[in-house]
Amino acid sequence: MTFNVFSVDRLSIVGFFITVLLWLGGSLSAQSVLYSSLNTTGSGTAMTTGTGTAFTSATGFERGPGLTFNSGVTFNSRGWTIGATAGADDYLQFTATIGSSAVNLSSLEIRYDRSGSGPSEIVIEANGVQIFSDSGVSQTGEENTIDLTGVPSLQNLQNTTVVFQLFGFSASSGSGTFDIEDIVGGDTDVGAVLTAALVVPVELQSFVAEAVDQQAYLRFTTATEQNSSHFLIQRSGDGRAFSTIGKVDSKGDSQREVDYLFIDEYPLPGISYYRLHQFDFDGTNEYFGPVAVRFEGKDMYEPQIWPVPAQDVLQIDFLDSDQEWTVQLYNVAGQLLLERLITDKSTRTTLDVQQLPAGTYILRSVSRSQQYSQKFIKK
């Protein structure tokens, strides 16, 4: 028995597909970095906002040893470097601690201004890597959102702490000041907002099964991949007991669509169910599917029903979509439990069977020229 595996750029998708969005990692978690409005010691406070588990903690702003507090209602500091290069002790700093959930840092939003003799240039570093510079700091205030997605050292982080430092220099006087301001539209005393996205190992965009010359063509597309090792291709004749029939190596890491094709040259007679078992390099795994395809020994126009057995919903795929269908659901005693007219000539409909007792039922599908009776099990 042989199987063919391909990884391709783009393929025409025919048949039905399942879209799986694993957007736990798509939602953003935010950490707000605060300062004390009457901060005479140089230590700020901290507050966690937003949802998710991207961060376990974040400190408030604190000053480097070369700076001193300047009276005011925001985090105002003096003693900045007069020279044209940053001084090692003249910085503002906060840290963010990431827990066991891997994250990609997304952005840092910060608002600031200076006095006329304050530092006209700043650079911001994250763990010693420069992420931002401003060679013309405004005296009237400016707000910047720094994109961190292109900084490799700030991606796929877990169980670590990131130190953010803002260095100011090119001041015309040591008494000149630099001020962290409230974020516009934010809470009072919020001086910066750091956001991150939980890492998504695989975002599956589509999964298709198609009968081609008595072979099963399985096409699936990933929208993104992170630390993905491989997919196991699994097959079942009843939708319950699956066995592995092949393996497809993943791209691994990708932020663009990747298409895969697996060919089962010897599918089962009748209906074959297929699912994907995806593995990360660390052993984390996830199932996608199932999808189904029909072969010889069955009327090619007979509706496909799955999953088998059904638990909450029963999906019906009409292979002849040019006709209207009436769907009737009976128990084994012949009692009509449900009837639905499908008038939109759709290729798919779903029945809610959650309230049905466990047992065997009969689904009758009737069109203008065809009728079918199929048994299914409700568990």
Side-chain angles (χ1 to χ4, degrees), residues 7-140:
S7 177
V8 295
D9 291 334
R10 297 299 302 160
L11 290 167
S12 173
I13 294 178
V14 181
F16 62 90
F17 63 89
I18 291 177
T19 300
V20 182
L21 297 179
L22 306 177
W23 188 240
L24 175 63
S27 59
L28 289 179
S29 298
Q31 201 80 355
S32 295
V33 179
L34 277 71
Y35 46 82
S36 297
S37 60
L38 299 176
N39 187 348
T40 58
T41 63
S43 298
T45 59
M47 177 180 72
T48 302
T49 64
T51 59
T53 57
F55 303 97
T56 58
S57 66
T59 66
F61 276 105
E62 58 185 11
R63 296 180 177 86
L67 302 180
T68 57
F69 168 76
N70 188 62
S71 62
V73 294
T74 53
F75 198 74
N76 206 318
S77 305
R78 67 172 64 196
W80 296 92
T81 302
I82 297 176
T85 57
D89 294 332
D90 297 351
Y91 60 82
L92 303 178
Q93 173 178 296
F94 73 91
T95 65
T97 300
I98 292 92
S100 58
S101 297
V103 303
N104 295 326
L105 296 192
S106 304
S107 65
L108 172 64
E109 183 180 8
I110 188 168
R111 184 166 179 254
Y112 53 82
D113 62 18
R114 69 177 177 94
S115 68
S117 57
S120 61
E121 297 186 68
I122 64 168
V123 295
I124 301 178
E125 296 181 353
N127 285 354
V129 177
Q130 182 174 315
I131 61 172
F132 178 77
S133 65
D134 185 348
S135 58
V137 177
S138 171
Q139 297 181 46
T140 58

Side-chain angles (χ1 to χ4, degrees), residues 137-158:
V137 177
S138 171
Q139 297 181 46
T140 58
E142 56 183 291
E143 185 171 330
N144 288 287
T145 299
I146 305 165
D147 183 7
L148 304 178
T149 59
V151 183
S153 61
L154 300 182
Q155 307 305 302
N156 199 23
L157 302 176
Q158 60 185 131

Side-chain angles (χ1 to χ4, degrees), residues 205-345:
Q205 182 167 292
S206 64
F207 181 20
V208 178
E210 181 188 7
V212 179
D213 296 330
Q214 300 303 313
Q215 297 178 342
Y217 277 54
L218 307 180
R219 298 182 173 106
F220 52 102
T221 300
T222 59
T224 60
E225 296 183 25
Q226 179 75 41
N227 197 40
S228 179
S229 172
H230 62 275
F231 296 88
L232 296 182
I233 310 300
Q234 299 184 331
R235 184 181 64 192
S236 171
D238 60 8
R240 290 176 291 178
F242 284 85
S243 60
T244 298
I245 62 170
K247 176 184 176 182
V248 177
D249 290 331
S250 302
K251 182 73 172 180
D253 295 286
S254 176
Q255 296 301 312
R256 61 181 61 186
E257 291 183 358
V258 179
D259 293 334
Y260 300 93
L261 171 64
F262 180 92
I263 300 177
D264 182 0
E265 296 184 349
Y266 301 98
L268 302 174
I271 297 179
S272 291
Y273 298 88
Y274 296 93
R275 72 182 183 186
L276 305 176
H277 194 183
Q278 182 269 330
F279 284 82
D280 296 346
F281 285 108
D282 63 5
T284 304
N285 59 91
E286 180 76 16
Y287 288 97
F288 301 103
V291 296
V293 64
R294 183 186 303 276
F295 291 94
E296 74 279 356
K298 294 285 185 178
D299 185 334
M300 292 302 293
Y301 290 102
E302 184 179 56
Q304 296 181 14
I305 58 175
W306 59 287
V308 180
Q311 182 170 359
D312 298 322
V313 297
L314 180 70
Q315 181 169 292
I316 309 168
D317 289 330
F318 297 103
L319 300 182
D320 186 353
S321 60
D322 292 332
Q323 301 191 59
E324 295 180 352
W325 291 85
T326 298
V327 174
Q328 300 169 328
L329 184 64
Y330 295 87
N331 61 19
V332 291
Q335 296 174 306
L336 178 63
L337 305 179
L338 181 150
E339 184 174 39
R340 179 183 296 177
L341 177 63
I342 312 299
T343 60
D344 59 358
K345 297 185 180 181

